[in-house]
Amino acid sequence: MKKRPDLGKPIPSSEITPKDVYLSRRQFMKAAGIAAAGALLAACTPQETPEPLPVETDTPPASQYSDELMDPATSFNAITNYNNYYEFTVDKERVARLAKNFTTTPWQVEVGGLVNKPRTFSLEDILALGAEEERVYRMRCVEGWSMVIPWLGFPLSALLNAVEPFGSAKYVGFETVMRPEEMPGLKDYYPWPYVEGLRMDEAMHDLTILSTGLYGERLLPQNGAPLRLVVPWKYGFKSIKSIIKINLLEEQPPTFWNMLAPNEYGFYSNVNPKHAHPRWSQATERRIGENMRHPTLMFNGYEEQVASLYSDLDLDIYF
Ligand SMILES: Nc1nc2c(c(=O)[nH]1)N[C@H]1C(S)=C(S)[C@@H](COP(=O)(O)O)O[C@H]1N2
Ligand SMILES: [Mo]
């Protein structure tokens, strides 16, 4: 059994097979027959009697993870080697190498602003909230590519509730760490630090998570270790990495990409196939690791869960 990274408590095996993972028994056994990583291995606790595994070599193994649309998870290799993280470099294929020695322990996150109990959390404090689970989400980058990622994480609401937001808190602002000696991209001219924001109801929505891992392992630096936001119905740039500050606010906070190009990147940035970017269509997406383009779905396929948040907005104006 592969050893889990030692941050935080191990995930009980009862939580390993999430409702988001839809696999037939047969697919599961096939997946188990190969050297599967992550949750499957984490699930093989000593007290469980292992079942005999069939040896099947006729068909390629199905990924042990797929989303609720049965889209298979993107490979671990692609998820960890094709990244946007401008603090390191704008070259997606060099982020992993440049971020390799980024220091993620110890880590502290300051949560404050319009709250009753402002508090600086260590990563261990955050994991001790005990809300960690797996979520298989599509991630759609505004540039026109997408992945399916089996995240480990917990609802952002669990952290926010712990600091008791005032009723006057209408927005949540997030900030990425700035460490010039470890992040060569900070020399490039951008409005650092990377900042992002959500409306309070978006932040409290159950789909919105703070991620601590993927494929059953702790996050690697290139994916925003040790703690990054994931908002699956919004373009990928909203999912800010390596967070050190979370602020509850009355006013809408500035956001990195909006400061750079306000006519191209709005505060909301909900995935919308009908609303073209000024320089390209958003109707389809290239799924990393596949040949066929996928049609882009309204709210990235999470319309049923989130459309009601925007009943008052003209979705064509509020990009
Ligand atoms: N701090 C920070 N967060 C960031 C970015 C960044 O450059 N810096 N890039 C964003 C963009 S554009 C995308 S698509 C996703 C990519 O996440 P991934 O590399 O884990 O797939 O991270 C987002 N979060
Ligand atoms: Mo992106």
Side-chain angles (χ1 to χ4, degrees):
M1 174 170 175
K2 197 164 172 189
K3 207 171 150 282
R4 289 187 57 79
D6 57 10
L7 276 175
K9 62 181 177 133
I11 300 167
S13 57
S14 60
E15 286 173 29
I16 291 295
T17 306
K19 61 180 183 304
D20 306 86
V21 181
Y22 294 88
L23 285 179
S24 70
R25 172 96 186 132
R26 185 176 158 77
Q27 274 179 305
F28 180 84
M29 295 311 283
K30 271 192 191 177
I34 53 135
L40 197 54
L41 285 168
C44 80
T45 55
Q47 63 269 33
E48 281 170 0
T49 315
E51 295 187 52
L53 301 173
V55 179
E56 294 192 62
T57 50
D58 52 336
T59 47
S63 166
Q64 59 177 319
Y65 291 103
S66 55
D67 65 15
E68 81 288 1
L69 305 177
M70 298 303 287
D71 289 359
T74 305
S75 73
F76 179 82
N77 188 53
I79 295 171
T80 55
N81 284 285
Y82 188 84
N83 302 100
N84 272 331
Y85 202 162
Y86 278 29
E87 286 87 337
F88 291 96
T89 171
V90 298
D91 180 347
K92 294 185 198 8
E93 290 171 19
R94 288 178 58 227
V95 173
R97 212 171 339 133
L98 287 170
K100 197 167 184 273
N101 296 317
F102 178 64
T103 312
T104 57
T105 44
W107 196 267
Q108 296 200 315
V109 187
E110 195 187 316
V111 189
L114 300 173
V115 301
N116 252 321
K117 297 183 169 167
R119 181 174 161 197
T120 299
F121 292 82
S122 67
L123 190 70
E124 291 74 12
D125 294 334
I126 286 178
L127 293 171
L129 294 171
E132 224 177 20
E133 55 183 287
E134 288 198 292
R135 300 277 183 101
V136 185
Y137 284 161
R138 294 169 290 288
M139 186 183 75
R140 170 62 154 83
C141 176
V142 75
E143 298 164 335
W145 53 268
S146 63
M147 296 186 184
V148 177
I149 305 182
W151 297 109
L152 265 181
F154 59 90
L156 171 61
S157 63
L159 182 64
L160 296 183
N161 286 333
V163 296
E164 300 177 7
F166 295 153
S168 56
K170 296 286 181 283
Y171 293 91
V172 186
F174 304 85
E175 188 177 316
T176 295
V177 73
M178 265 175 78
R179 212 179 283 148
E181 63 285 8
E182 291 190 333
M183 296 171 136
L186 290 176
K187 288 200 279 291
D188 297 339
Y189 185 78
Y190 286 100
W192 311 115
Y194 198 103
V195 286
E196 258 304 338
L198 294 172
R199 220 169 54 184
M200 194 66 185
D201 57 344
E202 298 175 325
M204 295 300 287
H205 194 282
D206 180 62
L207 285 178
T208 302
I209 61 169
L210 285 171
S211 170
T212 46
L214 58 83
Y215 268 108
E217 305 283 349
R218 291 283 164 244
L219 286 180
L220 293 174
Q222 57 266 41
N223 295 109
L227 189 73
R228 62 91 60 86
L229 183 67
V230 178
V231 193
W233 70 93
K234 292 177 178 286
Y235 289 112
F237 66 82
K238 298 292 292 181
S239 295
I240 181 174
K241 296 178 168 180
S242 305
I243 296 166
I244 53 158
K245 236 182 243 173
I246 300 179
N247 236 328
L248 288 278
L249 304 161
E250 187 148 6
E251 306 284 338
Q252 182 178 304
T255 58
F256 181 86
W257 282 101
N258 185 255
M259 285 188 274
L260 268 170
N263 58 322
E264 298 190 7
Y265 308 106
F267 178 81
Y268 285 90
S269 289
N270 295 318
V271 174
N272 184 345
K274 290 178 294 218
H275 192 129
H277 184 278
R279 293 184 279 129
W280 59 85
S281 164
Q282 294 290 27
T284 65
E285 62 203 55
R286 179 170 62 94
R287 181 63 54 83
I288 302 300
E290 298 178 18
N291 296 320
M292 300 282 288
R293 289 187 78 84
H294 285 232
T296 290
L297 305 175
M298 187 65 196
F299 291 111
N300 203 25
Y302 304 96
E303 182 168 16
E304 204 179 302
Q305 293 96 318
V306 302
S308 63
L309 298 179
Y310 307 105
S311 49
D312 293 343
L313 293 188
D314 179 343
L315 294 174
D316 241 35
I317 294 170
Y318 285 91
F319 168 61

